[in-house]
Amino acid sequence: MKNRLKVLRAMRNWSQADLAEKLEVSRQSVNAIETGKYDPSLPLAFRIAELFELPIEQIFEKGE
């Protein structure tokens, strides 16, 4: 799954650790989501969308 997480995080000058703390996940989880190695659970995707105040569809999109 493709996502804009890295771009959105950078726009706020947050490190991966900052975002991980806000989402209550590990920094490694944030890295894995950003690099497409891991798709977040639906509850986590909703928390991400809520944190960035965007619809899920504007953060995540179906990849190849």
Side-chain angles (χ1 to χ4, degrees), residues 21-59:
E21 185 177 328
K22 293 174 189 309
L23 295 172
E24 299 178 342
V25 299
S26 69
R27 186 202 57 79
Q28 291 85 352
S29 293
V30 170
N31 180 266
I33 294 168
E34 284 186 358
T35 58
K37 294 178 182 162
Y38 170 76
D39 291 337
S41 65
L42 194 53
L44 179 54
F46 273 107
R47 287 204 319 265
I48 292 168
E50 185 176 312
L51 180 65
F52 288 106
E53 299 179 334
L54 291 170
I56 288 177
E57 304 84 38
Q58 288 186 17
I59 300 173

Side-chain angles (χ1 to χ4, degrees), residues 4-19:
R4 297 178 50 219
L5 200 54
K6 185 174 183 176
V7 171
L8 293 169
R9 177 177 60 76
M11 288 171 58
R12 287 161 177 78
N13 294 315
W14 292 346
S15 67
Q16 287 183 341
D18 293 334
L19 180 56

